[in-house]
Amino acid sequence: MFNETVLKEIDEIKGRYPDFRSALLPALYVAQREFGWLSHEAMSYVARTLNLPEAMVRGTASFYSMFKHKEAGRHLIQLCTNVSCMILGAERLVDFLRTKYGMEPDNTTQDGRFSLVIMECIGACGTAPAMLVNTDFYDNLTEGKIEEILDKYK
Amino acid sequence: MGKILLKNIENSNSADINEYLKIGGYKSLIKAFEMQPKDIIGEIRESGLRGRGGAGFPTAMKWSFAFADTKFPKYLICNADEGEPGTFKDRPILEKNPHLLIEGMVISGYAIGAEHGYVYLRGEYPYAKEVLNKAIAQAYEKNYLGDNILGENIKFHLTVYQGAGAYICGEETALIESLEGKRGQPRSKPPFPVNVGAWAMPTIINNVETLSNIPYIISVGGAGYSKIGARECTGPKLYSVSGCVEKPGVYELPMGTILRDIIFNYAGGIKSGKKLKAVFPGGISTPVLPADNIDCPMDFISMPRFGSMLGSGAVIVMDESVCMVKVAYRALKFFEHESCGKCTPCREGTDWLRKILERIECGKGREGDIELLSEVVDIMYGRCFCPLGDSAAGLVMSMIKHFRNEFEEHIRDKKCKNQK
Ligand SMILES: Cc1cc2nc3c(=O)[nH]c(=O)nc-3n(C[C@H](O)[C@H](O)[C@H](O)COP(=O)(O)O)c2cc1C
Ligand code: FES
């Protein structure tokens, strides 16, 4: 179950909205931060804390692509391949991640270092192609630049 | 036209409240508090401001509906979901000019009688969230937010709500569902959010850019503001330009600037001396325009006459080397992924369109596939619960209309000649 500090945090979030159910998405984010991903167990903690049916919690969580339903690697790479990024070569970068690092979309590398997710537009189209590594933004990507960046994430 | 929305953003500290105050920030708020709410709405009406979220709905009209509703409390929501592919115009406001948005929201809240505002911020903008939360804390400290703003009996609180990666949550009723902690599926309208919105109360939803226009309107007056831009579409507009241009970026220009000018003058023309092939003028949800149809004024009223829409003003530029079938396929992959599943024409239609486009792109297209695409488009168009499905259908329709030969070529040659 969540520890006292987390329970307090969720309680405080509940107070920000006229109806406590609005705390569901923020609470799922908190659970994801605490456990790294949303296991059934984590979602049932959220359900208990907010006093909501588990089915409702799971049904809501599954709608949103930023909630992870399996264990992710140490670093999450979110690479955009939507139109603006695609026409500037984003797909080549996916191939590069595949051949150089053994990454597959929606999968984690064998050593647990990286998980790769293909993203829809992340609002960096003016400096495409772009990606997020965890919560850090990187743009104007090339193969060389990606190599340099990923060296920082062990 | 001097910069209004992107004013001072070269200043690396522009998000700080003290820098904002130095350039006259929060003065409009003081002025607005000396006005009656209905007079503020009057100024907005006179300004001619239209919503910048995509539909171009007159802001004052929306506000007066909520103003007239006698239910309390009322809510103000800022739509910062910015999910339309190609769009990155709200981001500089959120990251570099957050106090402009906050000032706009406090004034708007006062005008419609809302004491609580929410910024629905897309999950993929973690940095904007940090900046915005810091700015909100500063605004509370200096008493521009709180229970007695500037010592007056005026109350306004602001909370940032983080979305979680669903494009459909940019649609206003899906956004409300999401804010209420539910799956982001659109509601049927009517009732409209202005009467029955968040937590069933009167709710105004406006885009980041829309709300960021408010302080300037109050400062120069509606009539002064209406001198900028086109006649029925006034004000400054943020255009996000991306793709095959020399100088991609966000350009603040008068509403109604000619598309050709945006591409060839402001954005420096096509990259590496190549030729222009096609443009999405307002994100991938707006029909594609071929290279010979770009002398259109980029505003809400003119664009439909040229066969497209202004949308979010996201100009995606494609040069001669870009394969249109591939673009259509990638776009449909997006719409299929983002379809919320509520209505059948959109859920099934986007899946069908994506599958057919995928096989054409991969060299497995069949005779009759173009007709099949058109048939699916016809079934979808006008029958979807919300505009998402129509946008997907409209994209395919415009692609076939202008680039039919490329589709035929793929099917005939059983390959994409751009594929290695
Ligand atoms: C599928 C879909 C996605 C949308 N996404 C956004 C968005 O990301 N940001 C936005 O401001 N409006 C978006 N809209 C438009 C909103 O529904 C709404 O019209 C807008 O927020 C109203 O604000 P405005 O009057 O200031 O334009 C979207 C609409 C649809 C149908
Ligand atoms: S298309 Fe990749 S960031 Fe917008």
Side-chain angles (χ1 to χ4, degrees), chain B residues 116-250:
Chain B
H116 211 131
Y118 295 89
V119 179
Y120 188 97
L121 179 67
R122 68 177 307 197
E124 293 87 343
Y125 281 179
Y127 180 64
K129 183 183 167 196
E130 196 185 308
V131 175
L132 200 53
N133 275 325
K134 210 191 235 162
I136 289 173
Q138 285 186 325
Y140 270 105
E141 236 169 68
K142 297 241 191 240
N143 213 8
Y144 293 112
L145 283 171
D147 284 331
N148 292 334
I149 300 176
L150 300 177
E152 306 275 338
N153 190 17
I154 297 170
K155 184 166 156 183
F156 194 73
H157 291 274
L158 194 52
T159 306
V160 177
Y161 188 88
Q162 194 182 2
Y167 167 67
I168 190 60
C169 291
E171 193 282 333
E172 54 189 17
T173 59
L175 185 154
I176 291 173
E177 288 282 299
S178 181
L179 177 62
E180 291 182 356
K182 301 171 189 157
R183 293 165 75 87
Q185 292 184 318
R187 297 176 177 173
S188 55
K189 295 188 265 193
F192 291 93
V194 286
N195 300 120
V196 184
W199 304 287
M201 287 298 160
T203 302
I204 287 292
I205 304 179
N206 276 129
N207 172 258
V208 173
E209 188 186 344
T210 313
L211 292 165
S212 300
N213 272 282
I214 306 300
Y216 186 76
I217 296 175
I218 296 303
S219 147
V220 301
Y225 177 94
S226 72
K227 294 200 184 85
I228 306 170
R231 213 166 56 85
E232 280 173 89
C233 280
T234 55
K237 175 80 195 91
L238 298 178
Y239 298 103
S240 340
V241 188
S242 68
C244 313
V245 287
E246 286 288 350
K247 291 188 292 180
V250 179

Side-chain angles (χ1 to χ4, degrees), chain B residues 48-51 56-63:
Chain B
L49 177 66
R50 285 170 186 272
F57 193 81
T59 304
M61 199 188 294
K62 196 189 269 190
W63 286 18

Side-chain angles (χ1 to χ4, degrees), chain A residues 13 15-26 28-29 52 56 58-67 78-88 91-92 95 118-128 130 132 134-137 139-140, chain B residues 75 83-88 91 116 118 120 122-126 159-166 168-169 177-185 199 241-244 248-249 271 280 284 316-318 322-323 326-327 330-331 333-334 337-338 340 420:
Chain A
I13 293 171
R16 290 183 209 158
Y17 306 95
D19 185 300
F20 71 93
R21 185 165 170 180
S22 288
L24 179 49
L25 265 65
L28 287 166
Y29 268 119
L52 287 171
M56 197 182 264
R58 267 187 251 161
T60 306
S62 66
F63 186 83
Y64 297 94
S65 58
M66 289 183 73
F67 295 130
Q78 306 186 85
L79 180 76
C80 171
T81 66
N82 207 302
V83 175
S84 299
C85 284
M86 180 191 88
I87 56 188
L88 294 177
E91 287 172 322
R92 244 190 4 253
D95 287 342
I118 300 300
M119 292 294 273
E120 300 301 354
C121 179
I122 52 176
C125 338
T127 45
L132 279 158
N134 305 327
T135 54
D136 308 324
F137 237 105
D139 48 16
N140 286 315
Chain B
Y75 297 106
E84 178 60 36
T87 314
F88 49 103
R91 203 175 143 200
H116 211 131
Y118 295 89
Y120 188 97
R122 68 177 307 197
E124 293 87 343
Y125 281 179
T159 306
V160 177
Y161 188 88
Q162 194 182 2
I168 190 60
C169 291
E177 288 282 299
S178 181
L179 177 62
E180 291 182 356
K182 301 171 189 157
R183 293 165 75 87
Q185 292 184 318
W199 304 287
V241 188
S242 68
C244 313
K271 220 170 156 163
F280 288 111
I284 66 173
I316 306 175
V317 180
M318 291 161 277
V322 177
C323 169
K326 192 168 168 185
V327 169
R330 182 60 186 87
K333 225 159 105 173
F334 167 78
H337 182 250
E338 301 300 336
C340 79
K420 43 199 162 142

